[in-house]
Amino acid sequence: MAIAVAHADSATDAIIDVRSLSRRFTVRSPGGRLRRTKKTVDAVDALTFSMQRGAAIGYIGANGAGKSTTIKMITGILVPSSGSVVTCGLDPVRQRKRLARRIGVVFGQRTQLWWDLPLRESYRTLAAIHRLPGDSWVARRDELIDRLDLASFVDTPVRQLSLGQRIRGEIAAALLHSPELLILDEPTIGLDVLSKERLRVFLAEQRALHGTSLLLTTHDMDDVQRLTERLVVVDHGQMIYDGDLPGLVHRVGAERVMVLDFAAPTPPLEDVPGTRLVHSEPDGMRQRLSFVPGHTTAGAVLASVSARGEVRDLSIEEPDIEDVVRRLYLSTEPYRQ
């Protein structure tokens, strides 16, 4: 059973407009030639959402949820079984060549670079493919080399690059022609912590400077929190949430944790309204209280706690986004039985 969700109304400035989009595959079951049977699998099932220009959406879900299939239809790689999709005002299948000049796409496990060519020559080839005039693209290339810190290996053949270097090179390739829409499918997979942070800073800068729209699929929840302002969550090809992260946290009842440091020993805070005592050190000088946003607020909790003792310091730990999504899956499971 499909779950009804609200979505933004399509407008003339929508850069992606997906309506009742479905993609079905025929799968053969294992067995001998005479025993094989066919069944139809809905990789994407009646999906509807729109994305406005300049927006940044985190498109998330478990493996097999239909994320990559959706992206392939948005970019014209796959033909929908039913429904419609319009990207940058174009039909992705019929107008795929025109669309390619207006979008940039990075698949984390696939490359658009030439393995035996240095990055610099790959960029020259891509500039020719996109028909970028004269040497006007060189300034853009140099900007990307500088911002993504590619200078030390831009003349190295792609096959000799580390995974982190190649991914940064892929991002630069996708942005060389200054696309209106950047689609990233698991862009930080396999990157170390420092490389991930540099990439996140760069993408945020590009959006601020050039107004680039961003559609991001990822399993890294730090990417979602740092780079997007809206989440579309899919499961079994169906949308189960469309909104912001605080709304998702509120929907599943995920808890925030207030960590309190007291100036003097304090009895365990076991009866503060709207909270649950998670942990108290033996002397009570550090205690952790959890509460559900919407049921109470951090201010109300602090007001109650301040009457029990002098608070020297406090911090708030936000819910783990992976746990939030897991809770969302569990809450919608009965609808899919």
Side-chain angles (χ1 to χ4, degrees), residues 18 40 47 51 87 90 98 132 141 146 154-155 190-191 206 210 215-219 222 233 239 268 271 294 336:
V18 169
T40 300
L47 185 67
M51 175 178 173
T87 308
L90 302 172
R98 289 178 60 190
L132 301 181
R141 180 202 64 191
D146 177 59
V154 72
D155 293 308
L191 298 187
Q206 288 298 297
H210 302 286
L215 179 64
L216 171 71
T217 78
T218 181
H219 284 89
D222 283 338
V233 185
M239 183 189 295
D271 58 349
R336 298 194 302 272

Side-chain angles (χ1 to χ4, degrees), residues 55-133:
I57 291 181
Y59 189 55
I60 64 176
N63 289 329
K67 305 185 302 296
S68 293
T69 301
T70 305
I71 286 179
K72 288 175 182 177
M73 289 189 285
I74 288 173
T75 57
I77 296 173
L78 282 178
V79 179
S81 299
S82 61
S84 66
V85 54
V86 177
T87 308
C88 297
L90 302 172
D91 182 317
V93 175
R94 291 192 302 106
Q95 299 171 293
R96 188 175 173 187
K97 288 184 178 179
R98 289 178 60 190
L99 180 61
R101 297 191 178 98
R102 298 175 62 180
I103 65 174
V105 185
V106 174
F107 289 99
Q109 297 299 313
R110 298 173 181 85
T111 184
Q112 60 185 313
L113 302 171
W114 282 263
W115 281 99
D116 295 315
L117 293 181
L119 277 178
R120 190 185 302 276
E121 293 306 314
S122 287
Y123 297 152
R124 184 182 301 278
T125 302
L126 287 168
I129 289 173
H130 287 292
R131 299 179 182 177
L132 301 181

Side-chain angles (χ1 to χ4, degrees), residues 163-165 167-168 187-196 199:
L163 177 60
Q165 291 171 334
I167 291 297
R168 280 184 281 156
T188 63
I189 190 169
L191 298 187
D192 59 58
V193 173
L194 182 58
S195 295
K196 286 183 181 182
L199 183 55

Side-chain angles (χ1 to χ4, degrees), residues 252-267:
V252 301
E255 296 178 325
R256 303 174 77 190
V257 175
M258 180 178 289
V259 182
L260 297 145
D261 290 324
F262 290 92
T266 303

Side-chain angles (χ1 to χ4, degrees), residues 25 41 47 51 56 60 80 97 122 131 144 169 215 227 237 241 257 273 275 285 292 298 307 324:
F25 294 97
V41 176
L47 185 67
M51 175 178 173
I60 64 176
K97 288 184 178 179
S122 287
R131 299 179 182 177
L144 293 168
L215 179 64
L227 295 173
Y241 181 77
V257 175
T275 72
M285 292 187 67
V292 177
V324 171

Side-chain angles (χ1 to χ4, degrees), residues 102 119 147 270 281 307-308:
R102 298 175 62 180
L119 277 178
R147 298 303 304 133
E270 297 177 332
E281 293 184 353
R308 313 291 181 92

